[in-house]
Amino acid sequence: MSAKLLDGLKISKEIKAEVEKEVKILFETKEIKPGLAAVIVGNDPASQVYVGSKVKTCESLGLYSEKHTLAESTTTEELLALVNKLNEQDSIDGILVQMPLPKQIDADKIFSAISPSKDVDGFHPENVGKLALKQNGFVACTPAGIMELFKRYGLAVAGKHAVVLGRSRIVGLPMALLLTHSDATVTICHSKTQKLREITKEADIIIAAIGRTAFVTTEDIKPGAIVIDVGINKLSEETEVLRYFPDYTKRLEELEKKGYTLIGDVEPVCDTVAGYLTPVPGGVGPLTIAMLMKNTLKAAKLRRGL
Ligand code: GUN
């Protein structure tokens, strides 16, 4: 292995400790307790785990939190009614509607309905517009967390060629904007991109956010590149574990115990070529939650003019 592993878990602990300290001061001096409402529609097991973890983190840092679970059959209008109620609720500073949403729900309508001042996911058109124009607003948590990772590891982005795989509202698009604002030269690749692997090979920085198991291979990256793996995919077959993990002992144990192990969008063996790599798990995932806490604290302060 040649790559230095970028420890997202460690950085997330630093960020959370900073949030916890500020939340404590806010409560002691002004009796303000930032509050987050997490909304989950349906029973996608991964979403349940993510939202559970977000709520638990709120509790551990001294934030108020509410979890709202709605049925898989929920309509756009029903979800809008809940969002409107949360917009009005004084104890709530941040509203998070977990993605993906069931097909019958118009996600654009939902994100546009969340008050921009409570939009801690940064998905509202006003906040996306502010990000595009480099104005202060709420920035989506995963890309914001990745920028924190660069900053805290002292990894310069300016002048570098960054290739973003994926153009989603959650990661790819805001990531490309943030990197552009940090003076990187940015290429966005997606499902229609031609000769994608020739493009990634030129990259100083690769952000893999396409949701495909081990999509980025050792052949696709320039030696020494910074590779950020946003993917969270499940492997549940022993043959797959043996195929993807050169160091498979612990992964097989995990498979035995939990029935699956996690793998990113980047082949684990890329650690022999990359200069820096985020592990899965323990890379980008924990940073997303830490930035959500930071955004909720920011929302609580802004809403009160602090
Ligand atoms: N699904 C995957 N990542 C996210 C996120 O950051 N926010 C929301 N709301 N849903 C997600």
Side-chain angles (χ1 to χ4, degrees), residues 11-12 15-16 19 57 120-121 138-149 152 284-298:
I11 302 295
S12 78
I15 297 166
K16 285 192 291 186
V19 171
T57 307
V120 286
D121 255 330
F138 289 101
V139 178
C141 301
T142 302
I146 293 169
M147 294 310 287
E148 280 291 326
L149 191 70
R152 292 179 192 233
V284 172
L287 288 169
T288 300
I289 297 184
M291 295 312 285
L292 177 66
M293 300 300 122
K294 197 169 168 164
N295 276 352
T296 305
L297 169 62
K298 176 176 167 174

Side-chain angles (χ1 to χ4, degrees), residues 54 96-99 121 123 142 170 288:
K54 288 168 182 178
L96 170 138
V97 178
Q98 185 68 22
M99 288 289 279
D121 255 330
F123 295 165
T142 302
I170 302 177
T288 300

Side-chain angles (χ1 to χ4, degrees), residues 218-295:
T218 53
E219 305 277 291
D220 308 325
I221 58 184
K222 185 165 82 178
I226 301 171
V227 181
I228 306 297
D229 191 351
V230 184
I232 302 178
N233 310 295
K234 273 188 179 181
L235 290 185
S236 42
E237 298 292 332
E238 190 177 315
T239 50
E240 291 179 313
V241 174
L242 294 173
R243 179 168 139 218
Y244 288 122
F245 292 99
D247 209 1
Y248 48 74
T249 316
K250 277 211 180 103
R251 296 293 187 150
L252 284 180
E253 278 171 23
E254 197 187 6
L255 184 69
E256 176 106 349
K257 223 166 75 192
K258 295 204 288 192
Y260 68 88
T261 187
L262 295 179
I263 187 167
D265 290 352
V266 178
E267 213 180 23
V269 72
C270 285
D271 65 5
T272 57
V273 182
Y276 297 87
L277 180 65
T278 58
V280 175
V284 172
L287 288 169
T288 300
I289 297 184
M291 295 312 285
L292 177 66
M293 300 300 122
K294 197 169 168 164
N295 276 352

Side-chain angles (χ1 to χ4, degrees), residues 5-15 149 153 278-279 282-287 290:
L5 289 184
L6 298 171
D7 190 346
L9 193 60
K10 187 185 106 193
I11 302 295
S12 78
K13 282 179 187 162
E14 286 177 21
I15 297 166
L149 191 70
Y153 268 97
T278 58
V284 172
L287 288 169

Side-chain angles (χ1 to χ4, degrees), residues 172-242:
L173 194 61
M175 187 79 252
L177 290 168
L178 286 168
L179 288 164
T180 303
H181 296 329
S182 290
D183 300 322
T185 304
V186 180
T187 305
I188 303 177
C189 295
H190 45 75
S191 54
K192 300 280 193 301
T193 299
Q194 293 176 10
K195 300 188 178 165
L196 181 145
R197 291 176 194 277
E198 284 177 25
I199 298 170
T200 57
K201 234 183 253 176
E202 297 291 317
D204 303 307
I205 299 168
I206 297 176
I207 312 285
I210 35 171
R212 286 178 60 182
T213 297
F215 179 82
V216 176
T217 73
T218 53
E219 305 277 291
D220 308 325
I221 58 184
K222 185 165 82 178
I226 301 171
V227 181
I228 306 297
D229 191 351
V230 184
I232 302 178
N233 310 295
K234 273 188 179 181
L235 290 185
S236 42
E237 298 292 332
E238 190 177 315
T239 50
E240 291 179 313
V241 174
L242 294 173

